[in-house]
Amino acid sequence: QVQLVETGGGLVQAGGSLRLSCAVSGRTSSMSNMGWFRRAPGKEREFVAAISCRDGSTYVGNSVKGRFTISSDNTKNTVFLQMINLKPEDTAVYYCAGQRGGRISYDYWGQGTQVTVSS
């Protein structure tokens, strides 16, 4: 099993920045990719960014490209989501997720952390 715990959410004004952290514990060696997703009120869950646990390559969703950056510190088993130039439409619950090797879907999810951007 793998446990994911997100921290770093909060209230920020438009144009501000936040950094989310995801602490990963358990069978971390089974992870192939780590990702961030978000769900805004009344909307579907949206992919934000992902990072490969094998080679560190990253992929960022179009709606946040140029503003959000995903990274990881493998020595601390932590994944980060640096968010700059935040907009009110970035308001959502942000979830960290882990994908096992050979899987299409993400298998493990954190409890989520609320990000609220005021205009």
Side-chain angles (χ1 to χ4, degrees), residues 3 10 17 19-20 22 25 40 52 68 74 78-79 84 105 118-119:
Q3 295 78 42
S17 303
R19 187 176 81 157
L20 306 183
C22 173
S25 60
S52 168
F68 289 14
N74 293 333
T78 303
V79 181
I84 65 171
S105 61
S118 63
S119 57

Side-chain angles (χ1 to χ4, degrees), residues 57-114:
S57 57
T58 62
Y59 183 77
V60 180
N62 289 333
S63 63
V64 302
K65 195 166 292 184
R67 299 187 298 120
F68 289 14
T69 304
I70 187 170
S71 62
S72 65
D73 183 341
N74 293 333
T75 64
K76 297 180 179 179
N77 288 334
T78 303
V79 181
F80 303 100
L81 183 69
Q82 178 67 52
M83 306 183 292
I84 65 171
N85 191 21
L86 283 161
K87 304 175 181 181
E89 52 263 43
D90 294 319
T91 295
V93 178
Y94 284 71
Y95 297 91
C96 178
Q99 183 184 51
R100 289 182 293 171
R103 301 273 291 178
I104 296 176
S105 61
Y106 280 77
D107 304 282
Y108 302 102
W109 294 85
Q111 81 288 350
T113 186
Q114 176 71 47

